[in-house]
Amino acid sequence: MGISKYYSEFVYGGVDGLITTFAIIAGSLGGNLSTKIVVILGLASILADGFSMGVSSYLAEKSRINANNAIKVAIITFLSFVCIGIFPLLPFLFHIKEPFTLSSIILGALLFLLGFLKEFKLFEGIETLLIGGAAAAIAYFVAKSISKYEDKLEKKEQEEEKDEKNIQ
């Protein structure tokens, strides 16, 4: 009944915690939100999403033949999500200079490590790193695009209001 029995839940929770947290960070920064908002959204997401992952793991495991492990699976998934998922947020919590750069390095290193430890194969580490990196890039560029679009709309509205005042 060692940890290897629950390693898949550890990896599942950890990888999802990293990707979810970093997606919040990348999306927030892509949307030009403040560091304070990054921290608030990051912490709220880690706890709420971690709980959701744990509950989902519990319900999935409970529906299987061996329902006795459901609580253990849920706890491991939750703890893994929270304990590993917090790492990309640490540079923002401690107000480190260039937090996004350090957060990116932490994300990459931990994604690689979690992937590598699955089977102690280089390919597994690289695969996990690339999948997680793709999710982070999607969050950043979608938020950046939306932010630019919203800025254009806001500028257009301001110009229209200015024109209306000039007409009156």
Side-chain angles (χ1 to χ4, degrees):
M1 186 118 144
I3 188 142
S4 61
K5 183 176 181 177
Y6 300 102
Y7 189 69
S8 64
E9 284 78 21
F10 175 77
V11 170
Y12 176 57
V15 168
D16 198 50
L18 287 170
I19 292 171
T20 301
T21 302
F22 196 79
I24 294 289
I25 293 167
S28 296
L29 294 178
N32 297 317
L33 302 178
S34 71
T35 299
K36 179 181 177 181
I37 293 175
V38 170
V39 170
I40 291 167
L41 292 177
L43 289 174
S45 173
I46 287 169
L47 292 174
D49 289 344
F51 179 77
S52 175
M53 289 281 299
V55 168
S56 297
S57 291
Y58 169 79
L59 293 172
E61 188 69 20
K62 190 176 170 188
S63 70
R64 294 185 181 118
I65 295 170
N66 188 1
N68 295 335
N69 291 330
I71 292 290
K72 291 177 187 173
V73 166
I75 291 170
I76 290 168
T77 303
F78 170 76
L79 290 176
S80 177
F81 187 101
V82 172
C83 293
I84 296 172
I86 192 81
F87 278 93
L89 195 59
L90 293 178
F92 295 90
L93 286 169
F94 293 109
H95 304 285
I96 293 173
K97 193 173 188 176
E98 302 293 330
F100 187 69
T101 301
L102 183 55
S103 182
S104 299
I105 293 167
I106 291 169
L107 172 77
L110 289 176
L111 284 172
F112 176 81
L113 187 61
L114 282 171
F116 178 76
L117 290 176
K118 283 190 282 187
E119 297 180 23
F120 294 96
K121 293 183 180 176
L122 185 63
F123 174 79
E124 297 292 330
I126 293 169
E127 178 184 51
T128 305
L129 171 63
L130 292 175
I131 291 168
I138 289 167
Y140 179 82
F141 289 112
V142 166
K144 193 75 165 166
S145 297
I146 292 169
S147 180
K148 284 181 181 180
Y149 177 76
E150 288 294 322
D151 287 346
K152 285 180 185 178
L153 285 179
E154 188 176 311
K155 185 177 179 182
K156 184 179 177 182
E157 288 173 358
Q158 288 172 350
E159 288 173 1
E160 288 173 356
E161 287 175 9
K162 185 178 175 183
D163 289 343
E164 285 178 21
K165 287 180 183 178
N166 288 340
I167 292 173
Q168 294 173 354

